[in-house]
Amino acid sequence: MSLTVSASGVLVLSWYPPGIADNHGEPCEDLVPAVMDAAHRHSIKVAFHIQPYKGRTDLSMHDNIKYIIDKYGNHRAFYRFRSTTGRILPLFYVYDSYLIPPEAWADLLHPAGTHTLRGTPYDGVFLALVVEERHKHEILAGGFDGMYTYFASNGFSFGSSHQNWKAVKAFCDGNNLLFVPSAGPGYVDTAVRPWNNHNTRNRVNGRYYETSLQAALSVRPEIVTITSFNEWHEGTQIEKAVPRKTVSRLYLDYQPHRSDLYLELTRKWAEHFNKEKDKWLM
């Protein structure tokens, strides 16, 4: 597993409920046990990134969390996050969380909610996606534990703009929330979204990635995520890559550098992050 080489400790796995998939794929819940087993063999933990699906509500999310913890909670690769208060709980990322209103999230995530997970065996650390600035307040009102930025294109959204991270981190610190900035090696999705050329970000032979990671570390977060891995159609992969061209697509490689350039950069910055974090928390 390349994650081992890169010193990334946790794989965040996109997840849909059984029998459900995105518009471009097939249901893949049956593959999760194999992913968990492989992760464990390589000493990697797995957290779940719950995707938006038709009919997703606070009630269906209650069922989803219960399902995941019942099915995978005892697996040795299942990730639990140790908070600064000493609690150790499963960590969930909720993509496009803003599609459900804060008052509905509050029913799930506030201790007094009508079907709250808090204080139950299905409690966790829940991170919402911050895209627009107003989402900060909605995430707080919804009872989430923190927010992440996801997009690898600096400037694509309020949340993904490096220049805003200091202010978002201050908001989170003031409200006892986690801020999880997301770094990426570059971005180009015009093969699938020809109209989105303005969000292309050149890799600059690794400099964009290092700038992104430096911006993330500069706000002293407890967690940094890397939006990458198998997103080849969005140009954010950090896997080993060699030149390849098909009739419809040119796959970006890392020449003149070695094929594992981004794995090595990830390892370097992961080690740097862990050392720095120890100092922050002293």
Side-chain angles (χ1 to χ4, degrees):
M1 260 197 178
S2 299
L3 285 168
T4 315
V5 180
S6 71
S8 304
V10 182
L11 166 68
V12 184
L13 180 68
S14 289
W15 185 85
Y16 290 88
I20 298 176
D22 69 12
N23 295 331
H24 309 289
E26 298 179 9
C28 54
E29 159 60 16
D30 290 347
L31 299 175
V32 175
V35 173
M36 302 282 285
D37 290 346
H40 178 63
R41 287 197 298 273
H42 293 273
S43 302
I44 293 165
K45 300 296 185 185
V46 177
F48 287 76
H49 192 199
I50 300 176
Q51 297 293 317
Y53 54 84
K54 190 175 179 182
R56 187 179 74 173
T57 66
D58 49 303
L59 282 166
S60 72
M61 282 289 296
H62 187 284
D63 294 340
N64 298 158
I65 299 300
K66 186 174 184 301
Y67 173 90
I68 290 170
I69 291 176
D70 283 345
K71 185 159 186 181
Y72 303 114
N74 290 326
H75 196 289
R76 287 178 293 183
F78 188 74
Y79 179 62
R80 285 179 168 82
F81 175 71
R82 180 188 290 274
S83 71
T84 49
T85 61
R87 297 186 73 201
I88 303 173
L89 292 170
L91 180 69
F92 295 96
Y93 293 79
V94 185
Y95 191 65
D96 282 358
S97 45
Y98 56 83
L99 295 174
I100 296 174
E103 51 272 21
W105 282 121
D107 281 334
L108 186 70
L109 299 177
H110 268 300
T114 53
H115 40 271
T116 186
L117 295 167
R118 303 304 188 186
T120 76
Y122 304 105
D123 203 350
V125 176
F126 298 92
L127 301 178
L129 178 63
V130 56
V131 181
E132 300 175 22
E133 184 168 14
R134 64 183 172 85
H135 291 159
K136 296 185 309 187
H137 305 283
E138 294 176 4
I139 289 165
L140 178 63
F144 282 93
D145 300 286
M147 58 192 77
Y148 70 112
T149 64
Y150 186 73
F151 300 107
S153 180
N154 180 23
F156 172 75
S157 69
F158 168 83
S160 71
S161 299
H162 302 167
Q163 67 188 43
N164 297 327
W165 286 355
K166 188 175 178 183
V168 179
K169 176 65 159 56
F171 175 86
C172 289
D173 286 350
N175 290 286
N176 199 28
L177 297 172
L178 284 167
F179 176 54
V180 180
S182 304
Y187 193 84
V188 54
D189 68 355
T190 48
V192 289
R193 301 182 187 94
W195 43 266
N196 200 33
N197 192 52
H198 62 288
N199 281 314
T200 295
R201 299 293 178 268
N202 194 299
R203 288 176 176 250
V204 210
N205 290 322
R207 288 205 300 279
Y208 179 90
Y209 192 37
E210 297 206 81
T211 299
S212 180
L213 287 163
Q214 178 62 61
L217 264 62
S218 71
V219 299
R220 297 188 164 193
E222 286 191 58
I223 301 171
V224 174
T225 62
I226 297 167
T227 304
S228 174
F229 200 49
N230 66 345
E231 300 280 11
W232 293 85
H233 61 291
E234 294 180 348
T236 64
Q237 79 285 343
I238 59 173
E239 295 290 82
K240 283 187 176 183
V242 295
R244 176 168 167 75
K245 188 176 185 179
T246 67
V247 173
S248 60
R249 183 168 304 178
L250 172 67
Y251 286 91
L252 296 181
D253 60 78
Y254 315 141
Q255 291 186 345
H257 297 283
R258 290 175 14 188
S259 62
D260 61 356
L261 168 68
Y262 287 92
L263 298 178
E264 289 301 325
L265 288 176
T266 305
R267 170 179 285 281
K268 179 180 92 170
W269 280 89
E271 290 170 353
H272 178 53
F273 176 50
N274 287 325
K275 282 180 194 162
E276 289 294 302
K277 197 160 66 163
D278 287 343
K279 292 182 204 167
W280 304 337
L281 299 175
M282 278 172 68

PDB file of all heavy atoms in Angstrom, residues 164-176:
ATOM      1  N   ASN A 164      -7.802  31.869   4.047  1.00  0.00           N
ATOM      2  CA  ASN A 164      -8.888  31.929   5.038  1.00  0.00           C
ATOM      3  C   ASN A 164      -8.693  30.979   6.216  1.00  0.00           C
ATOM      4  O   ASN A 164      -9.440  31.027   7.188  1.00  0.00           O
ATOM      5  CB  ASN A 164     -10.231  31.595   4.368  1.00  0.00           C
ATOM      6  CG  ASN A 164     -10.609  32.609   3.304  1.00  0.00           C
ATOM      7  OD1 ASN A 164     -10.287  33.783   3.431  1.00  0.00           O
ATOM      8  ND2 ASN A 164     -11.285  32.164   2.254  1.00  0.00           N
ATOM      9  N   TRP A 165      -7.671  30.139   6.131  1.00  0.00           N
ATOM     10  CA  TRP A 165      -7.555  29.078   7.135  1.00  0.00           C
ATOM     11  C   TRP A 165      -7.272  29.602   8.537  1.00  0.00           C
ATOM     12  O   TRP A 165      -7.769  29.058   9.516  1.00  0.00           O
ATOM     13  CB  TRP A 165      -6.488  28.071   6.695  1.00  0.00           C
ATOM     14  CG  TRP A 165      -6.972  27.188   5.577  1.00  0.00           C
ATOM     15  CD1 TRP A 165      -8.234  27.157   5.045  1.00  0.00           C
ATOM     16  CD2 TRP A 165      -6.214  26.215   4.851  1.00  0.00           C
ATOM     17  NE1 TRP A 165      -8.303  26.232   4.034  1.00  0.00           N
ATOM     18  CE2 TRP A 165      -7.083  25.631   3.888  1.00  0.00           C
ATOM     19  CE3 TRP A 165      -4.897  25.784   4.918  1.00  0.00           C
ATOM     20  CZ2 TRP A 165      -6.661  24.628   3.005  1.00  0.00           C
ATOM     21  CZ3 TRP A 165      -4.479  24.793   4.043  1.00  0.00           C
ATOM     22  CH2 TRP A 165      -5.353  24.212   3.110  1.00  0.00           C
ATOM     23  N   LYS A 166      -6.503  30.653   8.627  1.00  0.00           N
ATOM     24  CA  LYS A 166      -6.199  31.205   9.951  1.00  0.00           C
ATOM     25  C   LYS A 166      -7.485  31.668  10.641  1.00  0.00           C
ATOM     26  O   LYS A 166      -7.704  31.408  11.828  1.00  0.00           O
ATOM     27  CB  LYS A 166      -5.213  32.364   9.815  1.00  0.00           C
ATOM     28  CG  LYS A 166      -4.678  32.878  11.146  1.00  0.00           C
ATOM     29  CD  LYS A 166      -3.610  33.954  10.938  1.00  0.00           C
ATOM     30  CE  LYS A 166      -3.116  34.482  12.279  1.00  0.00           C
ATOM     31  NZ  LYS A 166      -2.125  35.573  12.096  1.00  0.00           N
ATOM     32  N   ALA A 167      -8.352  32.362   9.887  1.00  0.00           N
ATOM     33  CA  ALA A 167      -9.605  32.863  10.460  1.00  0.00           C
ATOM     34  C   ALA A 167     -10.552  31.713  10.804  1.00  0.00           C
ATOM     35  O   ALA A 167     -11.230  31.738  11.846  1.00  0.00           O
ATOM     36  CB  ALA A 167     -10.278  33.825   9.487  1.00  0.00           C
ATOM     37  N   VAL A 168     -10.602  30.692   9.942  1.00  0.00           N
ATOM     38  CA  VAL A 168     -11.480  29.548  10.221  1.00  0.00           C
ATOM     39  C   VAL A 168     -10.978  28.791  11.452  1.00  0.00           C
ATOM     40  O   VAL A 168     -11.764  28.365  12.306  1.00  0.00           O
ATOM     41  CB  VAL A 168     -11.571  28.603   8.999  1.00  0.00           C
ATOM     42  CG1 VAL A 168     -12.462  27.400   9.319  1.00  0.00           C
ATOM     43  CG2 VAL A 168     -12.130  29.344   7.787  1.00  0.00           C
ATOM     44  N   LYS A 169      -9.656  28.652  11.552  1.00  0.00           N
ATOM     45  CA  LYS A 169      -9.087  27.977  12.726  1.00  0.00           C
ATOM     46  C   LYS A 169      -9.407  28.761  14.004  1.00  0.00           C
ATOM     47  O   LYS A 169      -9.741  28.171  15.043  1.00  0.00           O
ATOM     48  CB  LYS A 169      -7.574  27.834  12.555  1.00  0.00           C
ATOM     49  CG  LYS A 169      -6.824  27.229  13.760  1.00  0.00           C
ATOM     50  CD  LYS A 169      -7.227  25.786  14.010  1.00  0.00           C
ATOM     51  CE  LYS A 169      -6.206  24.988  14.813  1.00  0.00           C
ATOM     52  NZ  LYS A 169      -5.859  25.559  16.112  1.00  0.00           N
ATOM     53  N   ALA A 170      -9.349  30.090  13.937  1.00  0.00           N
ATOM     54  CA  ALA A 170      -9.679  30.920  15.111  1.00  0.00           C
ATOM     55  C   ALA A 170     -11.142  30.739  15.496  1.00  0.00           C
ATOM     56  O   ALA A 170     -11.479  30.636  16.686  1.00  0.00           O
ATOM     57  CB  ALA A 170      -9.381  32.386  14.810  1.00  0.00           C
ATOM     58  N   PHE A 171     -12.027  30.681  14.499  1.00  0.00           N
ATOM     59  CA  PHE A 171     -13.450  30.434  14.764  1.00  0.00           C
ATOM     60  C   PHE A 171     -13.629  29.075  15.454  1.00  0.00           C
ATOM     61  O   PHE A 171     -14.363  28.944  16.439  1.00  0.00           O
ATOM     62  CB  PHE A 171     -14.245  30.478  13.455  1.00  0.00           C
ATOM     63  CG  PHE A 171     -15.697  30.121  13.610  1.00  0.00           C
ATOM     64  CD1 PHE A 171     -16.635  31.085  13.954  1.00  0.00           C
ATOM     65  CD2 PHE A 171     -16.131  28.805  13.414  1.00  0.00           C
ATOM     66  CE1 PHE A 171     -17.976  30.762  14.103  1.00  0.00           C
ATOM     67  CE2 PHE A 171     -17.474  28.471  13.561  1.00  0.00           C
ATOM     68  CZ  PHE A 171     -18.403  29.451  13.908  1.00  0.00           C
ATOM     69  N   CYS A 172     -12.948  28.066  14.925  1.00  0.00           N
ATOM     70  CA  CYS A 172     -13.060  26.718  15.503  1.00  0.00           C
ATOM     71  C   CYS A 172     -12.503  26.687  16.930  1.00  0.00           C
ATOM     72  O   CYS A 172     -13.135  26.115  17.829  1.00  0.00           O
ATOM     73  CB  CYS A 172     -12.326  25.713  14.617  1.00  0.00           C
ATOM     74  SG  CYS A 172     -13.167  25.392  13.048  1.00  0.00           S
ATOM     75  N   ASP A 173     -11.350  27.306  17.141  1.00  0.00           N
ATOM     76  CA  ASP A 173     -10.764  27.340  18.484  1.00  0.00           C
ATOM     77  C   ASP A 173     -11.714  28.014  19.470  1.00  0.00           C
ATOM     78  O   ASP A 173     -11.863  27.576  20.613  1.00  0.00           O
ATOM     79  CB  ASP A 173      -9.429  28.088  18.468  1.00  0.00           C
ATOM     80  CG  ASP A 173      -8.309  27.279  17.820  1.00  0.00           C
ATOM     81  OD1 ASP A 173      -8.517  26.074  17.559  1.00  0.00           O
ATOM     82  OD2 ASP A 173      -7.234  27.857  17.572  1.00  0.00           O
ATOM     83  N   GLY A 174     -12.375  29.080  19.017  1.00  0.00           N
ATOM     84  CA  GLY A 174     -13.278  29.817  19.889  1.00  0.00           C
ATOM     85  C   GLY A 174     -14.556  29.082  20.205  1.00  0.00           C
ATOM     86  O   GLY A 174     -15.279  29.440  21.157  1.00  0.00           O
ATOM     87  N   ASN A 175     -14.851  28.043  19.422  1.00  0.00           N
ATOM     88  CA  ASN A 175     -16.093  27.295  19.627  1.00  0.00           C
ATOM     89  C   ASN A 175     -15.846  25.813  19.915  1.00  0.00           C
ATOM     90  O   ASN A 175     -16.764  24.992  19.798  1.00  0.00           O
ATOM     91  CB  ASN A 175     -16.991  27.443  18.387  1.00  0.00           C
ATOM     92  CG  ASN A 175     -17.541  28.852  18.253  1.00  0.00           C
ATOM     93  OD1 ASN A 175     -18.430  29.251  18.991  1.00  0.00           O
ATOM     94  ND2 ASN A 175     -16.991  29.618  17.317  1.00  0.00           N
ATOM     95  N   ASN A 176     -14.593  25.503  20.299  1.00  0.00           N
ATOM     96  CA  ASN A 176     -14.234  24.132  20.672  1.00  0.00           C
ATOM     97  C   ASN A 176     -14.516  23.132  19.541  1.00  0.00           C
ATOM     98  O   ASN A 176     -15.056  22.052  19.762  1.00  0.00           O
ATOM     99  CB  ASN A 176     -14.976  23.717  21.950  1.00  0.00           C
ATOM    100  CG  ASN A 176     -14.303  22.517  22.613  1.00  0.00           C
ATOM    101  OD1 ASN A 176     -13.096  22.315  22.464  1.00  0.00           O
ATOM    102  ND2 ASN A 176     -15.081  21.704  23.309  1.00  0.00           N
TER     103      ASN A 176
END
